[in-house]
Amino acid sequence: MDAQQWRTLSLDERMRWALSAELPEALRPLLLREQWMQTRCYFARRADLRPPEVAELVTDQDYVIRLCLAKRPDLTAEQVAQFAGDPDPNVRYAIARNPLLTAEQRAQLREDEDELVRQAAAKGPRPSQTRCRPGQAPLLR
């Protein structure tokens, strides 16, 4: 499938591909730049994202996409630092329990201006979990 064919797909069809365990290689770049945030969000939660895909999505302007990524166990130190200082408290909340945080970053988040971020950071690390429904790729929760 090429980009022109992709544009003709309904949102439901795009969602099925974003969740598909059998995702064709040609669709990965199309999902990475998907116009529908909901579809891009499911793609961002895939456990099988590749480092260059994660790197591109980390800079997404939509905080929901960054929030989906902040729980990943395969973030680089730079990506963890970026999320720990994200302007959106929802993203800082999501990274606050990531075991990849340094002690200094966790201490910083325990002093965050947002009460929920402070509470999450005080709870300490929580390894990311996956969910996998039949026929779907494993997704990070």
Side-chain angles (χ1 to χ4, degrees):
M1 179 178 311
D2 63 19
Q4 190 166 354
Q5 292 169 314
W6 178 259
R7 285 191 287 271
T8 67
L9 295 180
S10 70
L11 178 57
D12 286 342
E13 291 169 315
R14 292 171 187 222
M15 288 290 290
R16 277 194 292 282
W17 281 119
L19 294 168
S20 176
E22 302 297 325
L23 180 61
E25 188 65 31
L27 295 185
R28 294 184 80 92
L30 299 173
L31 283 162
L32 189 60
R33 293 168 189 89
E34 168 64 22
Q35 67 176 333
W36 299 104
M37 192 276 298
Q38 184 179 9
T39 307
R40 209 167 62 251
C41 184
Y42 277 114
F43 182 69
R45 291 181 51 209
R46 290 179 68 99
D48 67 352
L49 278 188
R50 298 169 183 157
E53 294 167 337
V54 172
E56 186 165 333
L57 290 169
V58 161
T59 62
D60 200 285
Q61 292 190 0
D62 195 308
Y63 83 90
V64 174
I65 302 302
R66 298 191 313 275
L67 184 153
C68 291
L69 293 169
K71 299 176 183 181
R72 296 188 68 83
D74 57 353
L75 298 172
T76 66
E78 293 80 18
Q79 291 165 340
V80 171
Q82 183 176 341
F83 288 139
D86 196 278
D88 192 286
N90 295 296
V91 176
R92 296 193 310 276
Y93 175 83
I95 195 74
R97 304 225 31 219
N98 192 314
L100 298 174
L101 280 174
T102 65
E104 182 180 311
Q105 289 165 331
R106 190 169 309 284
Q108 173 190 347
L109 291 173
R110 279 196 301 265
E111 301 295 323
D112 195 90
E113 63 187 38
D114 186 274
E115 181 180 347
L116 295 178
V117 174
R118 292 192 306 267
Q119 290 173 3
K123 289 180 181 179
R126 179 180 179 207
S128 51
Q129 301 171 359
T130 59
R131 172 194 76 159
C132 189
R133 293 191 172 144
Q136 292 183 355
L139 300 179
L140 294 170
R141 297 172 42 160

